[in-house]
Amino acid sequence: GTFAQLGVAIENGFRLAIDQQGGKLGGREIEWFKVDDESDPPKGVENAQKLVQRDKVDVLVGTVHSGVQMGIQRVARESGVLSLIPNAGVHAATRALCAPNVFRTSFTNSQPTRALGKAMVDRGHKKAVWITWKYAAGDEAFEGFKESYTAAGGTIIKELGLPFPQVEFQALLTEIAALKPDAVACFFAGGGAAKFIRDYAAAGLKGKIPLYGSGFLTEGVLDAAGPAAEGIVTTMHYSDSLDTPRNKSFRTAYASRFKMQPDVYAVQGYDTGLLLVQGANAVKGDLSNKAALYKSMEGATIDSPRGKWKMSPSHNPIQDIYVRQVENKENKVIGVAAKALADSGAGCKMA
Ligand code: PHB
């Protein structure tokens, strides 16, 4: 569905990290199983159960969509199988439902937007409209935005939403035009984000009311969105243009292997591979040695293309958040919005 390309980038990144270790985990061969959840929440439980019961996997890697992740989470908790989350930001996974066998290498849904509010007020936008898909990822992204924007002195004059994965934005864009805010902030991703950016410009709003978002808005969609995306400012834990040897070597390796440019999803997949490699090496490939495996992963510092990050006590990255602007089809870094930002992990009690 609208997130298909995100899944492709995550898988590519993950495989690249494993390949760079000779294609093995702690010296052992890997057997791969792959299923598609189509970002459809009921398929989370179904798929995870199949992988655990039929295929007897040692590790579940996935997924993109927060609603689907909640299903996988249930199976991970019940079965105790190691679960690595390479994207879905649903708070509960590393807050109230945190577990020793669940690790996230991406973000919580409110992490990128917690840095967005101040960046917007700093740029002079004091009255904003928020718009998103109404499901966990959008609602929790709003939590971060609301907190940061109001703390910086901004006022949210209206919250707009539509059901995931709908892309009929027209009526909502008409409403935004009538509300005349200083700026618009949003959470959209994947194919829906590309369409939102294009529709925003087609409605005549680009150049009149600046569009902001968590960085997913402009990840993996810059070709599809075209000139309508130029100039959009977002906050995110990665930027294409990070000028570090680590990012450059990753980008070169990814582009030459997959004939496409990496994005934040590719980085998250890659980091998931790095984390698993580190854990597997610590137990020489014996993933049944869970105590030692988890201990190694908990203490991990991941040397990521996004910059080095550490695992928080609730198993979510503590990471820098960049301010980026789209320029010539690239998310260029223009500032740092937050250093070593950790999610609260509220309600997490590791068993
Ligand atoms: C989510 O559902 O958690 C989600 C999906 C796509 C993103 C970010 C978060 O880009």
Short mmCIF file of all heavy atoms in Angstrom, two decimals, residues 3 6 64-67 87-90 107 109 135 137 187-190 216 265, ligand 1:
data_model
loop_
_atom_site.label_atom_id
_atom_site.label_comp_id
_atom_site.label_asym_id
_atom_site.label_seq_id
_atom_site.Cartn_x
_atom_site.Cartn_y
_atom_site.Cartn_z
N PHE A 3 2.74 2.44 2.05
CA PHE A 3 4.05 2.31 2.70
C PHE A 3 4.96 1.27 2.04
O PHE A 3 6.01 0.92 2.60
CB PHE A 3 3.88 1.93 4.18
CG PHE A 3 3.33 3.04 5.05
CD1 PHE A 3 2.75 2.73 6.28
CD2 PHE A 3 3.40 4.37 4.68
CE1 PHE A 3 2.25 3.73 7.11
CE2 PHE A 3 2.90 5.38 5.50
CZ PHE A 3 2.32 5.06 6.72
N LEU A 6 8.64 1.98 1.71
CA LEU A 6 9.34 2.09 3.00
C LEU A 6 9.87 0.72 3.39
O LEU A 6 11.00 0.58 3.87
CB LEU A 6 8.39 2.63 4.09
CG LEU A 6 8.04 4.12 4.06
CD1 LEU A 6 7.47 4.59 2.74
CD2 LEU A 6 7.10 4.48 5.20
N VAL A 64 6.55 -1.50 9.50
CA VAL A 64 6.47 -0.06 9.21
C VAL A 64 5.36 0.63 10.00
O VAL A 64 5.56 1.69 10.58
CB VAL A 64 6.22 0.16 7.69
CG1 VAL A 64 5.98 1.64 7.39
CG2 VAL A 64 7.40 -0.36 6.88
N HIS A 65 4.19 0.01 10.05
CA HIS A 65 2.95 0.67 10.49
C HIS A 65 2.67 0.40 11.99
O HIS A 65 2.69 -0.76 12.42
CB HIS A 65 1.82 0.14 9.60
CG HIS A 65 0.47 0.70 9.87
ND1 HIS A 65 -0.30 0.32 10.95
CD2 HIS A 65 -0.27 1.59 9.18
CE1 HIS A 65 -1.46 0.96 10.91
NE2 HIS A 65 -1.46 1.74 9.85
N SER A 66 2.37 1.45 12.73
CA SER A 66 2.18 1.33 14.18
C SER A 66 1.05 0.37 14.55
O SER A 66 1.15 -0.37 15.54
CB SER A 66 1.89 2.71 14.78
OG SER A 66 3.09 3.41 15.02
N GLY A 67 -0.04 0.38 13.80
CA GLY A 67 -1.17 -0.50 14.12
C GLY A 67 -0.79 -1.96 13.93
O GLY A 67 -1.14 -2.83 14.74
N ASN A 87 11.01 0.48 12.17
CA ASN A 87 10.33 1.74 11.86
C ASN A 87 9.22 2.08 12.86
O ASN A 87 9.36 3.03 13.61
CB ASN A 87 9.76 1.76 10.44
CG ASN A 87 9.20 3.13 10.10
OD1 ASN A 87 9.94 4.09 9.91
ND2 ASN A 87 7.88 3.29 10.08
N ALA A 88 8.12 1.33 12.83
CA ALA A 88 6.89 1.72 13.54
C ALA A 88 7.18 2.37 14.89
O ALA A 88 7.85 1.80 15.73
CB ALA A 88 5.99 0.50 13.72
N GLY A 89 6.63 3.58 15.08
CA GLY A 89 6.99 4.38 16.25
C GLY A 89 6.03 4.32 17.41
O GLY A 89 6.16 5.11 18.35
N VAL A 90 5.09 3.39 17.37
CA VAL A 90 4.02 3.39 18.37
C VAL A 90 4.60 3.42 19.80
O VAL A 90 5.45 2.60 20.16
CB VAL A 90 3.06 2.17 18.15
CG1 VAL A 90 3.77 0.84 18.31
CG2 VAL A 90 1.85 2.28 19.06
N PHE A 107 12.61 5.19 16.17
CA PHE A 107 12.16 6.42 16.84
C PHE A 107 10.86 6.09 17.55
O PHE A 107 10.24 5.06 17.26
CB PHE A 107 11.88 7.53 15.80
CG PHE A 107 10.93 7.05 14.72
CD1 PHE A 107 9.56 7.12 14.87
CD2 PHE A 107 11.42 6.48 13.55
CE1 PHE A 107 8.70 6.63 13.90
CE2 PHE A 107 10.55 5.98 12.58
CZ PHE A 107 9.19 6.06 12.76
N ASN A 109 7.01 7.80 17.89
CA ASN A 109 6.26 8.71 17.01
C ASN A 109 6.35 10.17 17.41
O ASN A 109 6.21 11.05 16.57
CB ASN A 109 4.79 8.27 16.93
CG ASN A 109 4.61 7.04 16.05
OD1 ASN A 109 5.29 6.90 15.03
ND2 ASN A 109 3.72 6.15 16.43
N TYR A 135 -4.43 7.87 13.07
CA TYR A 135 -4.12 6.57 13.68
C TYR A 135 -2.92 6.81 14.59
O TYR A 135 -2.43 7.94 14.69
CB TYR A 135 -3.90 5.48 12.62
CG TYR A 135 -2.53 5.44 11.96
CD1 TYR A 135 -1.64 4.41 12.27
CD2 TYR A 135 -2.13 6.40 11.04
CE1 TYR A 135 -0.39 4.34 11.67
CE2 TYR A 135 -0.88 6.33 10.44
CZ TYR A 135 -0.01 5.30 10.77
OH TYR A 135 1.23 5.23 10.18
N ALA A 137 0.27 6.63 14.68
CA ALA A 137 1.46 7.38 14.29
C ALA A 137 1.16 8.88 14.19
O ALA A 137 1.94 9.71 14.65
CB ALA A 137 2.03 6.86 12.98
N PHE A 187 1.97 15.08 9.83
CA PHE A 187 2.60 13.78 9.68
C PHE A 187 1.93 13.07 8.51
O PHE A 187 0.72 12.79 8.56
CB PHE A 187 2.46 12.90 10.94
CG PHE A 187 2.78 11.45 10.65
CD1 PHE A 187 4.10 11.02 10.62
CD2 PHE A 187 1.77 10.53 10.36
CE1 PHE A 187 4.40 9.69 10.31
CE2 PHE A 187 2.07 9.20 10.06
CZ PHE A 187 3.38 8.78 10.03
N PHE A 188 2.69 12.82 7.45
CA PHE A 188 2.30 11.89 6.39
C PHE A 188 3.58 11.17 5.96
O PHE A 188 4.69 11.66 6.23
CB PHE A 188 1.69 12.62 5.18
CG PHE A 188 0.33 13.20 5.44
CD1 PHE A 188 0.14 14.58 5.52
CD2 PHE A 188 -0.77 12.38 5.63
CE1 PHE A 188 -1.12 15.12 5.79
CE2 PHE A 188 -2.03 12.90 5.89
CZ PHE A 188 -2.21 14.28 5.98
N ALA A 189 3.43 10.04 5.29
CA ALA A 189 4.60 9.29 4.87
C ALA A 189 4.27 8.50 3.61
O ALA A 189 3.10 8.28 3.30
CB ALA A 189 5.05 8.35 5.99
N GLY A 190 5.32 8.10 2.90
CA GLY A 190 5.16 7.21 1.75
C GLY A 190 4.38 7.86 0.62
O GLY A 190 4.44 9.07 0.40
N PHE A 216 9.41 12.42 7.83
CA PHE A 216 8.86 11.36 6.96
C PHE A 216 8.17 11.95 5.75
O PHE A 216 8.10 11.33 4.70
CB PHE A 216 7.89 10.48 7.75
CG PHE A 216 8.49 9.95 9.01
CD1 PHE A 216 8.05 10.36 10.26
CD2 PHE A 216 9.57 9.07 8.95
CE1 PHE A 216 8.64 9.89 11.42
CE2 PHE A 216 10.16 8.59 10.10
CZ PHE A 216 9.69 9.01 11.35
N TYR A 265 14.48 5.35 6.01
CA TYR A 265 14.03 3.96 6.23
C TYR A 265 15.17 2.98 5.97
O TYR A 265 15.33 1.99 6.69
CB TYR A 265 12.81 3.66 5.35
CG TYR A 265 11.72 4.69 5.51
CD1 TYR A 265 11.46 5.63 4.52
CD2 TYR A 265 10.97 4.74 6.68
CE1 TYR A 265 10.48 6.60 4.68
CE2 TYR A 265 9.98 5.71 6.85
CZ TYR A 265 9.74 6.64 5.85
OH TYR A 265 8.78 7.60 6.01
C1 PHB B 1 4.04 4.33 11.83
O1 PHB B 1 2.92 3.88 11.53
O2 PHB B 1 4.51 4.18 12.99
C2 PHB B 1 4.85 5.08 10.85
C3 PHB B 1 4.68 4.84 9.50
C4 PHB B 1 5.45 5.54 8.57
C5 PHB B 1 6.38 6.45 9.02
C6 PHB B 1 6.56 6.70 10.36
C7 PHB B 1 5.79 6.01 11.29
O3 PHB B 1 7.11 7.11 8.14
#
